[in-house]
Amino acid sequence: MSKSDFRSDAIDSVAKLHAPAGVEASPVDMKYFGEDVFGAEAMRKYLPEAVAAKLLATVNDGVALDPAIAADVAHAMKHWAMDRGATHFTHWFLPLNGSTAEKHDSFLEIEKGQAIMAFSGKNLIMSEPDASSFPSGGLRSTFEARGYTAWDPTSPAFIKRHSNGATLCIPTAFCSYTGETLDKKTPLLRSNQALSKAVKRLMKCFGLKDEYVDITLGAEQEYFLIDKHFYLHRPDLLQTGRTLFGAPPAKHQQLEDHYFGSIKSRVLSFMTEVEQELWKLGIPAKTRHNEGAPAQFELAPIFEKVNLAVDHNMLVMEVLRQVADRHSLVCLLHEKPFAGVNGSGKHNNWSVNYGDLKLLKPGKNPEENAIFLTVLCGIIQAVDLHSDILRATVAGAGNDHRLGANEAPPAIISIYVGDQLNEVIEKLEKGTAGTGRKIGKMQIGVDTLPQLPLDATDRNRTSPFAFTGNKFEFRAPGSSQCCAGPMMILNTIVADSLDKIAAELETFGKEDFNEKLQKLLQKIIKTHKRVIFNGDNYTASWRKEAAKRGLPNAETTLEALEAFSNPKNV
């Protein structure tokens, strides 16, 4: 999302979903959107004006948190949460097991023999849970049990409701007593910072003033629904989340008539309740539809800041499971629960903005196009150099079954840019005329790109990493996986690549900057164009071609994980 107030933007966006054509929707239509989130509206209502302004500056603009406001924020959060029935609070975090974790403490304190409800700034900022039983990636021994959770103010606190009350959930980072990272949020936040610094350094080379870097994610969530009665009679589903035996149905996915088909009333009732629960949590669920396989569906949100989007996706999976249970259904998030039909993925739509400038959107003038092509070449370079760890981030037994067919990309990581943009890249490499040009050569910073429509590419459902107009869609993550890992790696490899480009640009003089930039981009394309492939990724010919190009093909998790020990990746 943009720097503007995240809650107001989301209210407007979601309210417009149901507005008649040509009619401006009122936010009142969605008055319950974000009611269970300690967002901008709650901050302004419960906090002193100056404190709210400081906290919002941290949330929206990335300004360093002022520790002096912690006590005021904790006091306001407690009152806001208690007004919604909360008696407990928890530091909610993302351990390395790929799920979420929480330890509940009540607001109850005893003071001079009297029971009071209290919540201090110290309790807000940090908590100490027992960390002994969480996976640690070999960073620590079991006897080193202490762990700390630290408040992440950029992801707003929220309320979890249950039949007898509610709990205040505070998103946090998680680390060991000696400082090792034990969660998925901390590396993601570090990668955001690394990419932000790299983008600012690169933009300075083009003479742009300092702006806020906005890294966004839209995570499409696929899932299956089955009747709970049948689920409870299947020990394979109960134990593994997927079918291990059985006969194929007489009709399954042959005619693809389930895809975008009319949504059955029972499922629509489930989807409606899911959206209501998500909207209360400030999660801007926008799209719902039947997916390709029978009993398969998809939910897609409006783009948000990547850290918030990751937290929200973890809540989406939880809400899907909980609401399904209330409707006598079971939500299957396994990547391949049924043989012979589509599996379920989590398509990560990733983009980067610099102030109001969309870095992955072709520009309106030569300077903006020079920036677009530089960032594009940086991403191509990053994915080619580190496609093996990008593959490793989506490794898992379930995803091994899914990758390689039925709208899931193969294990070979390649980039799809589409015919039009591919032609631009080829022209840039050769320095020859672009599409529809009267000028004889493509010169960076002098002429402009061909006019590209909003949808500058077709959609390639077989590609792992596809350019889709103003973003890249990473289609390899599995439906049950936490988005933090893939996004952390993507941010980091792109930051590294842009840093290398910026280091060279900083040596260029103003008089020949564009000429040298063009030569640098030509060099990058010639070196890394092997990772670009616009065809059918499922074919045997592509596997042979990819091997010829030297692209890694780790078909199993054990093969994929070896990438983490490669010195270039460490």
Side-chain angles (χ1 to χ4, degrees):
M1 297 180 74
S2 66
K3 292 190 292 182
S4 57
D5 185 309
F6 67 89
R7 186 173 185 274
S8 296
D9 279 0
I11 289 173
D12 289 342
S13 298
V14 177
K16 289 174 183 176
L17 297 181
H18 302 289
V23 176
E24 184 69 19
S26 167
V28 176
D29 297 339
M30 291 298 300
K31 60 184 178 182
Y32 64 88
F33 185 90
E35 70 177 16
D36 286 341
V37 179
F38 191 69
E41 187 176 304
M43 291 175 193
R44 295 189 182 108
K45 180 179 178 180
Y46 284 84
L47 284 168
E49 185 177 348
V51 175
K54 284 186 177 181
L55 184 55
L56 285 169
T58 297
V59 172
N60 294 327
D61 303 323
V63 176
L65 178 69
D66 180 359
I69 71 172
D72 285 334
V73 175
H75 181 73
M77 268 191 196
K78 182 198 72 175
H79 279 283
W80 171 81
M82 289 179 63
D83 286 347
R84 280 148 186 79
T87 54
H88 289 65
F89 69 92
T90 181
H91 277 199
W92 182 87
F93 57 100
L94 310 179
L96 296 178
N97 59 20
S99 185
T100 60
E102 52 195 64
K103 175 177 73 75
H104 295 196
D105 288 296
S106 72
F107 291 125
L108 178 69
E109 298 284 350
I110 302 297
E111 188 174 283
K112 296 180 180 179
Q114 295 293 318
I116 63 171
M117 300 296 265
F119 186 48
S120 68
K122 180 182 178 182
N123 285 336
L124 168 63
I125 289 177
M126 189 177 76
S127 179
E128 186 270 310
D130 186 341
S132 62
S133 295
F134 287 111
S136 67
L139 288 171
R140 57 199 290 282
S141 301
T142 303
F143 68 85
E144 298 172 311
R146 194 184 296 274
Y148 292 107
T149 50
W151 176 34
D152 172 19
T154 65
S155 183
F158 57 93
I159 293 288
K160 270 192 183 183
R161 298 184 182 276
H162 51 86
S163 58
N164 296 318
T167 302
L168 171 66
C169 298
I170 302 160
T172 57
F174 182 49
C175 64
S176 75
Y177 177 72
T178 47
E180 290 92 355
T181 297
L182 296 177
D183 70 341
K184 291 179 177 290
K185 178 183 282 283
T186 305
L188 178 67
L189 292 174
R190 288 174 177 170
S191 75
N192 287 348
Q193 182 171 298
L195 183 53
S196 178
K197 287 181 177 179
V199 168
K200 289 186 175 185
R201 182 183 182 187
L202 184 67
M203 295 303 104
K204 188 176 181 181
C205 295
F206 287 95
L208 273 60
K209 66 178 182 178
D210 188 66
E211 295 276 7
Y212 179 76
V213 178
D214 195 17
I215 307 160
T216 63
L217 170 66
E220 303 169 21
Q221 179 70 56
E222 294 178 332
Y223 60 95
F224 281 85
L225 289 177
I226 62 171
D227 188 280
K228 188 191 296 184
H229 172 77
F230 296 120
Y231 173 81
L232 293 174
H233 283 76
R234 290 297 298 257
D236 51 349
L237 282 173
L238 280 166
Q239 295 292 330
T240 70
R242 61 187 280 257
T243 52
L244 301 179
F245 58 86
K251 176 184 175 295
H252 42 91
Q253 203 174 329
Q254 295 99 327
L255 298 178
E256 307 288 359
D257 51 343
H258 187 261
Y259 188 55
F260 280 20
S262 177
I263 303 172
K264 296 294 196 311
S265 59
R266 184 183 182 189
V267 173
L268 192 56
S269 176
F270 157 82
M271 288 178 166
T272 300
E273 186 174 344
V274 165
E275 287 183 344
Q276 290 171 349
E277 294 294 318
L278 294 179
W279 288 346
K280 288 177 184 177
L281 290 168
I283 300 173
K286 182 177 177 67
T287 301
R288 63 192 186 196
H289 64 82
N290 288 2
E291 252 301 331
Q296 187 186 32
F297 309 94
E298 181 177 298
L299 180 155
I302 297 170
F303 281 46
E304 300 179 285
K305 295 177 188 297
V306 63
N307 178 49
L308 182 60
V310 168
D311 285 353
H312 278 176
N313 181 255
M314 300 304 289
L315 287 172
V316 164
M317 291 191 288
E318 184 174 335
V319 169
L320 285 171
R321 288 190 291 259
Q322 290 175 344
V323 175
D325 187 62
R326 295 202 288 266
H327 286 253
S328 296
L329 297 165
V330 173
C331 175
L332 299 180
L333 292 171
H334 191 286
E335 284 73 20
K336 195 71 172 178
F338 304 103
V341 297
N342 281 16
S344 294
K346 198 188 316 262
H347 308 146
N348 284 207
N349 294 277
W350 173 87
S351 191
V352 185
N353 303 320
Y354 186 70
D356 293 329
L357 181 62
K358 297 182 185 300
L359 298 183
L360 293 178
K361 183 178 180 180
K364 299 176 182 177
N365 56 58
E367 181 186 36
E368 289 184 3
N369 279 325
I371 292 171
F372 166 71
L373 286 172
T374 302
V375 173
L376 179 65
C377 287
I379 293 171
I380 291 170
Q381 175 177 262
V383 174
D384 182 41
L385 288 173
H386 300 290
S387 63
D388 52 350
I389 49 171
L390 205 53
R391 160 67 179 101
T393 64
V394 301
N399 219 19
D400 286 350
H401 288 290
R402 165 182 168 260
L403 295 178
N406 300 104
E407 287 201 4
I412 304 166
I413 302 296
S414 63
I415 297 177
Y416 172 83
V417 295
D419 294 337
Q420 225 177 341
L421 192 52
N422 192 61
E423 184 179 352
V424 170
I425 291 171
E426 289 178 348
K427 300 295 184 184
L428 174 60
E429 178 190 0
K430 298 172 184 175
T432 55
T435 304
R437 292 177 193 279
K438 296 179 182 178
I439 303 170
K441 292 184 178 180
M442 177 181 281
Q443 297 174 308
I444 293 293
V446 178
D447 59 348
T448 60
L449 287 174
Q451 287 296 313
L452 300 179
L454 179 63
D455 295 319
T457 70
D458 193 359
R459 289 193 167 194
N460 188 333
R461 291 312 196 190
T462 71
S463 177
F465 198 73
F467 180 73
T468 54
N470 59 0
K471 62 187 185 299
F472 275 97
E473 183 181 26
F474 187 33
R475 296 180 58 82
S479 53
S480 67
Q481 294 179 318
C482 176
C483 296
M487 292 300 97
M488 181 271 288
I489 290 294
L490 183 57
N491 285 347
T492 305
I493 64 177
V494 173
D496 183 58
S497 182
L498 296 184
D499 255 339
K500 290 174 181 176
I501 292 174
E504 292 203 45
L505 296 185
E506 287 165 352
T507 67
F508 297 170
K510 289 185 178 180
E511 63 285 347
D512 58 356
F513 181 86
N514 289 333
E515 181 182 345
K516 288 187 174 180
L517 172 62
Q518 180 151 339
K519 289 181 180 178
L520 173 60
L521 299 187
Q522 288 173 333
K523 177 183 175 183
I524 291 173
I525 292 170
K526 287 178 181 177
T527 305
H528 301 290
K529 65 180 180 181
R530 66 173 187 163
V531 79
I532 298 174
F533 179 65
N534 292 312
D536 185 350
N537 287 251
Y538 292 163
T539 62
S541 60
W542 165 235
R543 289 196 292 273
K544 292 179 181 178
E545 174 63 23
K548 185 178 178 182
R549 295 185 188 187
L551 298 179
N553 180 14
E555 294 186 352
T556 68
T557 293
L558 290 179
E559 293 173 87
L561 294 180
E562 290 183 10
F564 286 123
S565 63
N566 190 320
K568 74 178 176 67
N569 295 329
V570 173

